[in-house]
Amino acid sequence: MVSSIRARTAAAAALAMAAVLAAGGLWLHALLRANLLDNTTGRAELAARKVAAQLDSRTLPPGGRLPAPESGVDLVLVRDEAGRTVASTGTGSGDPKHAPDLAGAPRPGPGEDSRSAVLPPARPGGERRAVVVVNAPGAHTVYAMTVLGDVDDATRAVAIGLLAGAPPLIGFAAALAWWVTGRALRPVNAIRRELAAVTASELDRRVPDPGGADEIARLARSVNDTLDRLERSDARQRQFTADASHELRNPLAAVRSRLEVALAMGRPDRESVGAALADTERLQRIAADLLLLARLDGGPAPRSEPVDLALLAAEDAARRGGPRGDAGVSLRLDARAPVPASGDPARLERALANLVDNALRYARAEVVVRAAEHGGWRLLEVTDDGPGIPEADRDRVFERFVRLDADRGRASGGTGLGLAIAREIARAHGGDVRALPAPGGGARLVLRIR
């Protein structure tokens, strides 16, 4: 079974060359044969017409002996209306009555002065003959015959030459296709070997780029781009694992320490138990956020149903206690008209809540939540008057477990996952979240979906 691309290409090239040679050889053989037969018939007709002209002028030689024809014509004879041979270029015995049998030769029909045909061999193993029949004056008929031995020999030689030359040409086509395909696939083999050497501990390896703009070069670049994304994903996964371990280790250590102190005491005090409970709740929040991120990373697409972003923002403000937020900061809603969108209301509500929580954590006096439409996008903007986000960190704040404050926000209760969750929810809805500077200072987080 042919299993490699090189072998399949070589076989295809050989078959194509065989088909071309077969079609071309048959065409050449037929064309050569027809041309030689036309030339032979033309010479025979010319010889017959010369004899017919002699009959017209009544200048036939005595004894019925015609001069030998020229141009390779083998025999010319004249027959009368009764079919008797009255003149001939001669036979082996010199008697016109012993002229070759021309049974089957066509006779010109009404309105015709000549006919031609190829007669089969007179005996087994004999040669074919081309005969031209011309009407002559006095109800005579002139026959001119040429044995087709030379024509058959020439066409046979051409056929043998084509058959003898076909195998080397077919082999050459297969070998050339094998060599060209091997050179073309050499970069692919290099890519395959290098890709097979990539392991989890060597994600920094890249396949060789042969250069150029052909399909193999584009394949190499696509593979390298994929390896780049895989390496970045692996780095993010390792960082995420390290950050998650760090975030979980500290609350667990604190819970254990407080419980050990409480057990060492005769009667545990409420302060130790309350602190342990607060650390436990923090662990629960981190675990819940990690579970949600895992679902967003590999879960199905969010369900889609009509949702009003303005109403969503109003409900969030109402749950926080009206115009005064739960962090002692003024929370103001700017939604002058409904903003219809399509998405999962529960997840969009969670994304908005995370943005508002982040703004309340850093705002000095006021947080503004705005719902609007702009440029085909449905927007939820959360603006605060806090210290703002440095330009260099506006993309980094959406990474997991990233906090810009030095103490990683533990005092304020943040897990470092809220903005990452908001971004993943927005992306699942075909949008994104961006951090922009607020006009009067502070930060402006913009969630947009279609």
Side-chain angles (χ1 to χ4, degrees), residues 138-208:
H140 290 91
T141 305
V142 180
Y143 295 80
M145 184 191 73
T146 301
V147 178
L148 297 179
D150 293 341
V151 174
D152 291 340
D153 290 343
T155 54
R156 188 180 301 109
V158 171
I160 293 174
L162 290 173
L163 291 175
L169 289 175
I170 294 173
F172 174 75
L176 181 62
W178 178 276
W179 180 77
V180 171
T181 306
R183 285 186 61 86
L185 293 179
R186 190 177 301 166
V188 176
N189 292 329
I191 292 172
R192 179 188 57 80
R193 288 192 299 269
E194 191 65 26
L195 194 58
V198 174
T199 62
S201 60
E202 293 183 325
L203 289 177
D204 58 334
R205 300 186 66 154
R206 296 295 179 267
V207 302

Side-chain angles (χ1 to χ4, degrees), residues 24-251:
L26 290 175
W27 175 80
L28 179 61
H29 184 271
L31 182 64
L32 177 64
R33 188 179 191 85
N35 184 265
L36 291 175
L37 187 60
D38 287 344
N39 291 338
T40 301
T41 304
R43 291 194 299 269
E45 183 176 357
L46 179 60
R49 290 190 182 280
K50 287 182 178 180
V51 173
Q54 292 178 5
L55 288 174
D56 188 30
S57 60
R58 302 183 182 276
T59 57
L60 283 175
R65 177 73 63 177
L66 297 174
E70 300 177 354
S71 303
V73 178
D74 295 306
L75 174 67
V76 177
L77 58 85
V78 180
R79 287 180 175 175
D80 59 14
E81 187 176 8
R84 297 186 298 268
T85 301
V86 297
S88 172
T89 57
T91 62
S93 62
D95 186 356
K97 295 180 180 180
H98 294 88
D101 182 20
L102 296 176
R107 295 292 299 271
E112 296 180 333
D113 63 348
S114 67
R115 293 285 297 274
S116 62
V118 176
L119 301 181
R123 62 183 183 279
E127 296 176 318
R128 298 179 310 127
R129 298 160 294 166
V131 176
V132 176
V133 183
V134 177
N135 287 331
H140 290 91
T141 305
V142 180
Y143 295 80
M145 184 191 73
T146 301
V147 178
L148 297 179
D150 293 341
V151 174
D152 291 340
D153 290 343
T155 54
R156 188 180 301 109
V158 171
I160 293 174
L162 290 173
L163 291 175
L169 289 175
I170 294 173
F172 174 75
L176 181 62
W178 178 276
W179 180 77
V180 171
T181 306
R183 285 186 61 86
L185 293 179
R186 190 177 301 166
V188 176
N189 292 329
I191 292 172
R192 179 188 57 80
R193 288 192 299 269
E194 191 65 26
L195 194 58
V198 174
T199 62
S201 60
E202 293 183 325
L203 289 177
D204 58 334
R205 300 186 66 154
R206 296 295 179 267
V207 302
D209 186 348
D214 58 8
E215 291 80 0
I216 296 178
R218 291 198 294 271
L219 171 64
R221 295 178 192 123
S222 297
V223 170
N224 284 334
D225 290 342
T226 301
L227 291 175
D228 288 339
R229 291 193 296 271
L230 182 61
E231 184 180 16
R232 291 194 297 268
S233 176
D234 180 73
R236 288 195 300 268
Q237 186 68 26
R238 292 176 185 272
Q239 185 63 39
F240 176 77
T241 303
D243 290 340
S245 301
H246 178 78
E247 291 292 331
L248 294 174
R249 182 183 59 189
N250 290 337

Side-chain angles (χ1 to χ4, degrees), residues 232-323:
R232 291 194 297 268
S233 176
D234 180 73
R236 288 195 300 268
Q237 186 68 26
R238 292 176 185 272
Q239 185 63 39
F240 176 77
T241 303
D243 290 340
S245 301
H246 178 78
E247 291 292 331
L248 294 174
R249 182 183 59 189
N250 290 337
L252 284 173
V255 170
R256 178 177 179 178
S257 175
R258 295 181 188 280
L259 291 178
E260 287 176 349
V261 171
L263 288 175
M265 299 175 60
R267 298 180 63 183
D269 60 332
R270 293 180 60 85
E271 181 180 356
S272 297
V273 176
L277 179 60
D279 287 334
T280 303
E281 291 174 348
R282 175 177 171 77
L283 284 172
Q284 287 179 328
R285 290 197 299 272
I286 294 175
D289 288 346
L290 289 174
L291 179 60
L292 177 57
L293 277 173
R295 289 174 177 171
L296 291 172
D297 284 340
R303 60 193 179 97
S304 181
E305 62 182 71
V307 57
D308 183 359
L309 298 187
L311 180 60
L312 207 69
E315 291 174 347
D316 181 79
R319 281 193 300 269
R320 296 178 186 275

Side-chain angles (χ1 to χ4, degrees), residues 318-335:
R319 281 193 300 269
R320 296 178 186 275
R324 300 292 298 180
D326 55 5
V329 176
S330 174
L331 180 61
R332 182 164 59 88
L333 177 64
D334 180 8

